[in-house]
Amino acid sequence: MADEVILLDFWPSPFGMRVRIALAEKGIKYEYKEEDLRNKSPLLLQMNPVHKKIPVLIHNGKPIAESLIAVQYIDEVWNDKSPLLPSDPYQRSQARFWADFVDKKMYEVGRNLWTKKGEEQEAAKKEFIEAIKLLEQELGDKTYFGGDKLGFVDVALIPFYTWFKGYETFGNINVEKESPKFIAWAKRCIQIESVSKSLPDQDKVYDFIVQIRKRIGIE
């Protein structure tokens, strides 16, 4: 029996993008269902009754919620090609640590760059650049966080690059000036087909941020 794979997602979500990249890396065919987060579908509420959030991966009728858990699931189930997590337990633990760091830092701090003003925004700028520099340090001289090939941390992190035009414009920062190696890594990632075809254009995400700012009354 062929696998039935469905992804409940929302196009600008960096969390959904992670799952899209992982599925593309593994060459998995799936049905993409776009969600309206202001009018969530009965399927989303049924499949993720706890958090009621996207993304939700549905594999043969069984839901897997939370993006990093879904990416690990994809890596374990379709383990015949393009491994995302290292086989060594210690290296695997470190990949999970840095993916967790991305989860705890990038979304919230990035959001503060385009939703806050004054001192709060200045604090966010400082915290954002510090986080990028720590990630740059962890990358070191490697091509990708996963070494010579795209890995778990790359998949966790690269989706946020689609939001950088918004972060930089409204946060008034220049990430390339502060962390050129980080931007060089991002540009290498988006040359990979599984990444480029899974990510929306930065300008499109920027327009989405502009719309949200208007909706929540930030001028």
Side-chain angles (χ1 to χ4, degrees):
M1 189 183 100
D3 283 313
E4 183 196 44
V5 183
I6 298 167
L7 179 62
L8 308 183
D9 202 354
F10 178 50
W11 71 267
S13 166
F15 303 105
M17 291 174 212
R18 291 168 166 177
V19 185
R20 282 173 245 164
I21 293 169
L23 289 166
E25 269 289 289
K26 300 285 186 175
I28 308 301
K29 289 190 171 68
Y30 65 97
E31 183 185 349
Y32 179 92
K33 287 184 186 259
E34 179 78 3
E35 283 286 334
D36 175 355
L37 299 187
R38 287 190 286 176
N39 183 23
K40 295 173 183 177
S41 73
L43 183 61
L44 175 59
L45 300 177
Q46 178 198 340
M47 290 293 169
N48 191 2
V50 176
H51 295 305
K52 304 177 179 63
K53 289 179 179 175
I54 55 91
V56 182
L57 179 72
I58 307 169
H59 182 208
N60 296 333
K62 294 176 183 172
I64 302 97
E66 298 293 291
S67 62
L68 290 181
I69 293 170
V71 170
Q72 289 178 72
Y73 177 86
I74 290 163
D75 199 36
E76 288 169 13
V77 172
W78 292 281
N79 58 8
D80 55 334
K81 66 175 282 193
S82 306
L84 297 171
L85 277 156
S87 55
D88 176 75
Y90 178 73
Q91 288 180 349
R92 205 157 58 235
S93 76
Q94 295 310 291
R96 287 182 175 132
F97 173 87
W98 285 105
D100 182 63
F101 175 84
V102 171
D103 256 10
K104 289 186 167 86
K105 285 283 182 189
M106 296 302 286
Y107 182 74
E108 200 60 42
V109 180
R111 186 179 169 83
N112 287 344
L113 289 174
W114 58 268
T115 58
K116 303 291 186 193
K117 290 184 174 177
E119 282 182 20
E120 280 184 308
Q121 191 189 52
E122 285 304 313
K125 282 160 76 165
K126 187 167 177 282
E127 196 175 351
F128 187 78
I129 293 300
E130 279 172 5
I132 294 289
K133 285 189 182 297
L134 279 170
L135 286 160
E136 199 176 47
Q137 202 176 315
E138 171 58 18
L139 178 66
D141 295 325
K142 300 190 293 286
T143 307
Y144 304 104
F145 286 90
D148 294 334
K149 291 182 179 167
L150 203 72
F152 187 60
V153 180
D154 302 285
V155 173
L157 180 56
I158 192 58
F160 289 95
Y161 183 59
T162 62
W163 287 67
F164 269 39
K165 184 178 177 184
Y167 293 166
E168 292 185 309
T169 304
F170 298 115
N172 193 24
I173 53 174
N174 183 331
V175 180
E176 189 157 28
K177 189 177 163 194
E178 297 278 355
S179 297
K181 270 172 68 177
F182 182 91
I183 297 298
W185 159 82
K187 287 177 176 172
R188 284 195 295 277
C189 286
I190 57 174
Q191 298 300 313
I192 300 170
E193 191 191 353
S194 62
V195 176
S196 63
K197 76 177 188 182
S198 304
L199 301 187
D201 184 71
Q202 278 200 3
D203 290 334
K204 198 179 168 196
V205 176
Y206 173 80
D207 291 342
F208 172 73
I209 294 171
V210 170
Q211 283 173 10
I212 299 183
R213 279 170 59 93
K214 281 181 184 161
R215 199 162 72 220
I216 60 179
I218 304 169
E219 292 310 318

